[in-house]
Amino acid sequence: SEAVGVRIAAMVGAPAAMVTSGAAAALTLGTAAVLTGGRAENILAIPDLTHMKSEVIVQKTHRFPYDHMIRNCGIRMVEVETREQLHAAINPKTALLLFLNKSNNLGQIKMQEFVEIARKAGLPTMMDAAADVPPVENLLTPIKLGFDLIAVSGGKGIRGPQSAGILFGRADLIKAARLNTLPYSDTMGRSLKVNKEEMVGMMVALDVFLK
Ligand SMILES: *Cc1c(COP(=O)(O)O)cnc(C)c1O
């Protein structure tokens, strides 16, 4: 699993990656990574967020049905529209700033500025680009801009295993995401199992797709 992640990350120039059971699972595990920070007591507690941050900020036009996978972690979505509202929404409970790639043109804050605002506030960002690859730039651009986590589907445009996906991102967060799922039994993400055939299939599909 880790070796596949290293090779996938190298293919696209991301710091780290892991194969997930679809982009939907990548959203859940990415959120769990941020919330728990990989700490044992938090991994055991989630989705009880009593001792963790509990809010995810999103532009109203970036809400989408799959953000339920983020709410699976017990967080509350905080919707904003303007820059001023975004700045005002940031508070000590803010865990993550969420961006939906395909809504880039719908929101007042575009992806580059979004990342910059998060950086200045010291907060992580997650991008969902599940169905927007190809073109491959839709995957490479958020990595270059510095989104901390990026979720894509394996079985859509990349034409890999239908129930696989990939979570790319910061090495410490991918490490934390891994601790919230298989092979660890007492985790929120234990049900998001990926089999070894799919991991290899996802790696090969991405390689073929990029070539
Ligand atoms: C399809 C889709 C998902 C879920 O992807 P799976 O790989 O099927 O889990 C998540 N987010 C968006 C925007 C999607 O279009």
Side-chain angles (χ1 to χ4, degrees):
S1 159
E2 285 188 24
V4 164
V6 168
R7 283 176 67 168
I8 287 179
M11 283 181 209
V12 295
M18 69 186 287
V19 178
T20 58
S21 53
L27 296 173
T28 303
L29 292 178
T31 307
V34 167
L35 292 171
T36 64
R39 280 187 288 284
E41 66 272 25
N42 291 344
I43 291 168
L44 295 175
I46 196 171
D48 174 354
L49 303 180
T50 308
H51 301 294
M52 283 171 261
K53 295 181 175 185
S54 57
E55 294 180 1
V56 174
I57 301 177
V58 61
Q59 295 184 80
K60 202 169 184 176
T61 47
H62 288 232
R63 289 300 305 268
F64 64 123
Y66 293 98
D67 68 36
H68 201 140
M69 272 76 254
I70 293 167
R71 291 195 291 112
N72 281 354
C73 296
I75 61 88
R76 187 171 76 84
M77 287 284 182
V78 177
E79 294 181 1
V80 299
E81 290 182 271
T82 65
R83 281 168 196 78
E84 293 68 32
Q85 287 171 358
L86 173 54
H87 285 292
I90 292 172
N91 76 85
K93 284 187 188 162
T94 307
L96 175 71
L97 272 64
L98 174 69
F99 199 94
L100 180 60
N101 184 67
K102 71 173 179 193
S103 290
N104 190 43
N105 292 326
L106 301 178
Q108 295 185 23
I109 309 160
K110 311 299 178 210
M111 63 177 83
Q112 182 151 11
E113 186 185 359
F114 193 80
V115 171
E116 283 163 11
I117 292 172
R119 277 264 166 86
K120 279 188 194 136
L123 290 168
T125 44
M126 182 157 69
M127 154 80 82
D128 182 337
D132 308 333
V133 181
V136 69
E137 285 68 37
N138 282 349
L139 178 56
L140 302 183
T141 301
I143 292 171
K144 285 196 196 109
L145 287 179
F147 274 86
D148 295 295
L149 290 166
I150 299 135
V152 289
S153 280
K156 291 179 179 168
I158 299 175
R159 299 197 290 177
Q162 199 210 346
S163 56
I166 309 174
L167 181 65
F168 297 95
R170 247 167 62 191
D172 62 318
L173 290 177
I174 297 297
K175 193 174 168 195
R178 287 180 182 283
L179 293 173
N180 281 279
T181 184
L182 193 79
Y184 309 106
S185 312
D186 193 348
T187 57
M188 187 263 305
R190 173 58 182 83
S191 52
L192 306 174
K193 189 193 272 185
V194 187
N195 71 41
K196 294 183 176 82
E197 295 84 350
E198 285 176 317
M199 286 181 196
V200 174
M202 188 68 256
M203 182 180 78
V204 172
L206 182 66
D207 191 36
V208 170
F209 170 73
L210 291 171
K211 281 174 182 155

